[in-house]
Amino acid sequence: MAMNGIRYRGIHSREFGLVTQTRTRPAAPNARLIQETVPYRDGSLDYSEQGGRLYYDEKLVEIEFTAIRRNLTETNSLISQVAKWLCGGWGDLIFDDMPLVVWRAKPVDVSSISIMLYRAGRFTVQFRCRPFNTLIYDTLGAVLDSDVPLDSDIPLDWGADNIYSLPTVGEYTFSHYNPGDVNAAPQIVIIGDTDSSTHMIEVLINGEGFTLKLPSGISLSGGQSVTVDCEECMVTKGGLDITEYLVSSDTNIPTFPEFLPGDNVICVNTQITGEMQIKYNVPYFFGANNTGGIDNG
């Protein structure tokens, strides 16, 4: 059981004078099982990978907090502060012993905090967590002046190789390495240059992808950009939804590709000159190592 503190929604547990002890911290989510039994047949039919890959359930983390207060007035004040801190929707949970890994978490129930504090000076909170943890920095690199631990495996140029130049009209083939444990749905940001006056680009990741055909009234010249969000299944430009201009290569149904773990091939056929950026938070079952660093393959 770990005795480190946590940071949740940008606030550290020490700010409330809490001693934190992790009770449960799953190493990986459970794969979702989709199966059916058939009469007069042994075993069952497993459809878990019919969507092209396994899908996973959320994880449950349990953390115990201890706080000693001199009287009920101080205890009630602490309850008010902690309730304000924990109540609400999803937030980023970061453990002190995994400073570069984000657990996307939401408290299950905080209604019994007051009873537990009154009785024992401690309380336990369960957090529902998304199936995958992510590196605190996305694939475009760490923010300038970020607090990166000295023993981290993050290279100084992390993110630089996820920006691809499209200097001329034509076809390009790029390689991309996903250091995560599972498929990653990226944001594909296409930025036009000063002279970019045409409006079509086809992007295929491992043979699957889309064609973006913009009407003449929507320009990417002068450094304007459009974002294809493969997780939210939408396309935006300047905050406006322009998904209607995205089609797949073979049908009228858009295809939003994912990066497989490891090496991937990106094929681009473009009339838009400029650059293409690949942005996502690397997904892990738990973390790449003890600091949440990355494995560059």
Side-chain angles (χ1 to χ4, degrees):
M1 293 180 289
M3 292 292 294
N4 295 280
I6 67 166
R7 181 174 298 277
Y8 184 58
R9 297 197 181 113
I11 302 176
H12 200 279
S13 54
R14 75 168 69 94
E15 296 184 30
F16 304 103
L18 296 173
V19 176
T20 303
Q21 189 171 33
T22 303
R23 291 294 185 181
T24 60
R25 197 188 316 182
N30 292 323
R32 187 170 299 159
L33 184 62
I34 305 172
Q35 62 181 15
E36 181 181 356
T37 57
V38 179
Y40 314 112
R41 176 171 176 164
D42 296 321
S44 60
L45 299 177
D46 190 345
Y47 301 104
S48 302
E49 295 185 73
Q50 290 301 302
R53 64 174 177 86
L54 284 173
Y55 291 84
Y56 296 85
D57 292 324
E58 292 174 342
K59 298 175 290 192
L60 192 64
V61 168
E62 189 172 84
I63 301 174
E64 182 183 83
F65 301 90
T66 301
I68 304 301
R69 293 295 187 267
R70 292 175 298 181
N71 51 54
L72 285 178
T73 299
E74 291 186 359
T75 300
N76 287 331
S77 176
L78 175 63
I79 292 171
S80 298
Q81 296 175 56
V82 171
K84 181 179 179 180
W85 178 42
L86 295 179
C87 287
W90 296 92
D92 289 345
L93 172 63
I94 301 174
F95 294 91
D96 284 356
D97 57 0
M98 300 180 69
L100 298 182
V101 174
V102 175
W103 301 60
R104 190 67 177 167
K106 178 181 180 180
V108 175
D109 182 11
V110 297
S111 62
S112 58
I113 287 177
S114 56
I115 296 176
M116 289 188 284
L117 271 175
Y118 289 147
R119 290 179 177 176
R122 64 172 62 92
F123 61 92
T124 299
V125 177
Q126 290 183 331
F127 291 85
R128 286 173 51 204
C129 297
R130 297 298 193 193
F132 311 121
N133 305 332
T134 60
L135 190 65
I136 195 170
Y137 311 116
D138 62 42
T139 52
L140 293 182
V143 177
L144 189 63
D145 296 330
S146 296
D147 185 17
V148 180
L150 294 178
D151 60 348
S152 168
D153 290 341
I154 295 181
L156 294 177
D157 61 347
W158 166 245
D161 55 353
N162 297 319
I163 300 176
Y164 305 95
S165 178
L166 307 173
T168 61
V169 171
E171 297 183 4
Y172 297 86
T173 300
F174 305 110
S175 62
H176 175 81
Y177 184 80
N178 170 14
D181 297 329
V182 294
N183 290 25
Q187 290 184 5
I188 302 174
V189 183
I190 301 160
I191 304 174
D193 60 22
T194 303
D195 300 322
S196 185
S197 58
T198 52
H199 306 84
M200 189 282 291
I201 185 170
E202 179 187 53
V203 179
L204 300 178
I205 297 175
N206 302 320
E208 296 186 357
F210 56 83
T211 299
L212 179 64
K213 295 181 178 180
L214 299 177
S216 58
I218 298 180
S219 174
L220 293 184
S221 63
Q224 298 183 69
S225 67
V226 62
T227 300
V228 180
D229 192 325
C230 296
E231 183 172 18
E232 299 297 332
C233 298
M234 66 184 301
V235 185
T236 58
K237 181 181 185 294
L240 299 177
D241 186 345
I242 58 170
T243 310
E244 61 184 301
Y245 302 119
L246 188 73
V247 297
S248 73
S249 298
D250 302 319
T251 68
N252 290 324
I253 301 175
T255 300
F256 295 91
E258 295 180 326
F259 287 112
L260 301 173
D263 293 318
N264 296 263
V265 176
I266 307 173
C267 295
V268 178
N269 185 0
T270 182
Q271 296 177 5
I272 300 171
T273 55
E275 69 179 30
M276 180 178 68
Q277 301 179 353
I278 301 298
K279 179 180 178 181
Y280 61 91
N281 291 92
V282 180
Y284 299 111
F285 288 131
F286 190 75
N289 56 37
N290 66 321
T291 60
I294 63 170
D295 174 10
N296 287 301

